[in-house]
């Protein structure tokens, strides 16, 4: 019971612990509390985008798998009953049924590809907006002499590295949702 409570407690406070360290690090580099909190508050928006797209990918991947299972079942059924189909001259009917199943599978695959391909550009746009805001804020701080230029460039480099990591993570997230 104590182990379970410890695990649940650590998972509950993980975000708080990480957030405190991020704010402390940014304060150490001369960033005020306001922008630090803005950075922390923007994280849920990114997570919302990730989870929304992930749900859509999972939904379309499941539908695609079900459609392919129906198609394979129909193929197996048609092959097993080939003599009956030929005797009653139902080749055209079976062909039309298979074509309908194939078209549904194609639609599901196209929807999945569309959502998957939208993830990268959407995260790039969010990253550009965040980078532009950080750049403008940094320029204001450097011109008001609240921050040294070297500190500002160090923060920009750290943000660039973090943005690249998030972009790679989005690709992995999409592949996980596909499975």
């Amino acid at each position: 019971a104590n182990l379970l409570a410890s695990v649940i407690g650590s998972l509950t406070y993980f975000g708080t612990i990480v957030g405190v360290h991020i704010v402390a690090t940014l304060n150490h580099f001369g960033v005020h509390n306001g922008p630090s909190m803005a950075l922390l508050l923007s994280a849920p928006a990114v997570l919302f985008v990730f989870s929304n797209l992930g749900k859509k990918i999972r939904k379309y991947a499941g539908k695609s798998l079900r459609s392919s299972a129906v198609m394979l079942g129909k193929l197996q059924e048609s092959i097993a009953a080939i003599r009956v189909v030929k005797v009653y001259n139902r080749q055209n009917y079976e062909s039309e049924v298979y074509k309908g199943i194939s078209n549904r599978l194609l639609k599901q695959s196209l929807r999945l590809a569309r959502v998957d391909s939208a993830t990268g550009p959407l995260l790039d746009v969010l990253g550009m907006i965040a980078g532009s805001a950080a750049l403008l804020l940094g320029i204001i701080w450097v011109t008001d002499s609240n921050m040294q230029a070297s500190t500002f460039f160090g923060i920009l480099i750290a943000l660039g590295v973090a943005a690249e990591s998030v972009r790679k993570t989005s690709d992995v997230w999409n592949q996980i949702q596909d499975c």
Side-chain angles (χ1 to χ4, degrees), residues 26-129:
L26 290 173
N27 283 341
H28 176 73
F29 284 117
V31 178
H32 301 291
N33 285 338
S36 301
M37 295 308 288
L39 175 68
L40 286 177
L41 293 176
S42 66
V46 173
L47 290 176
F48 176 74
V49 170
F50 268 136
S51 66
N52 231 3
L53 291 175
K55 286 177 188 176
K56 285 184 180 183
I57 289 172
R58 261 195 321 269
K59 181 176 102 176
Y60 293 140
K63 285 184 177 182
S64 180
L65 286 174
R66 283 189 291 278
S67 293
S68 64
V70 167
M71 183 174 68
L72 290 174
K74 186 62 181 170
L75 278 174
Q76 182 181 10
E77 180 184 303
S78 296
I79 289 172
I82 194 80
R83 290 182 185 154
V84 174
V85 170
K86 285 188 175 187
V87 166
Y88 291 105
N89 198 19
R90 301 294 288 173
Q91 295 94 335
N92 290 337
Y93 170 77
E94 291 294 325
S95 177
E96 289 299 317
V97 169
Y98 181 74
K99 183 178 177 184
I101 293 171
S102 179
N103 283 339
R104 283 193 299 271
L105 177 62
L106 177 64
K107 284 181 185 178
Q108 294 303 324
S109 298
L110 289 175
R111 287 179 185 155
L112 178 63
R114 187 176 24 227
V115 171
D116 193 29
S117 64
T119 306
L122 183 61
L123 287 174
D124 286 344
V125 167
L126 288 175
M128 284 189 269
I129 291 170

Side-chain angles (χ1 to χ4, degrees), residues 135-152:
L135 187 63
L136 290 174
L137 197 60
I139 290 171
I140 292 169
W141 286 338
V142 169
T143 55
D144 290 343
S145 299
N146 290 338
M147 181 188 294
Q148 294 179 355
S150 60
T151 304
F152 172 65

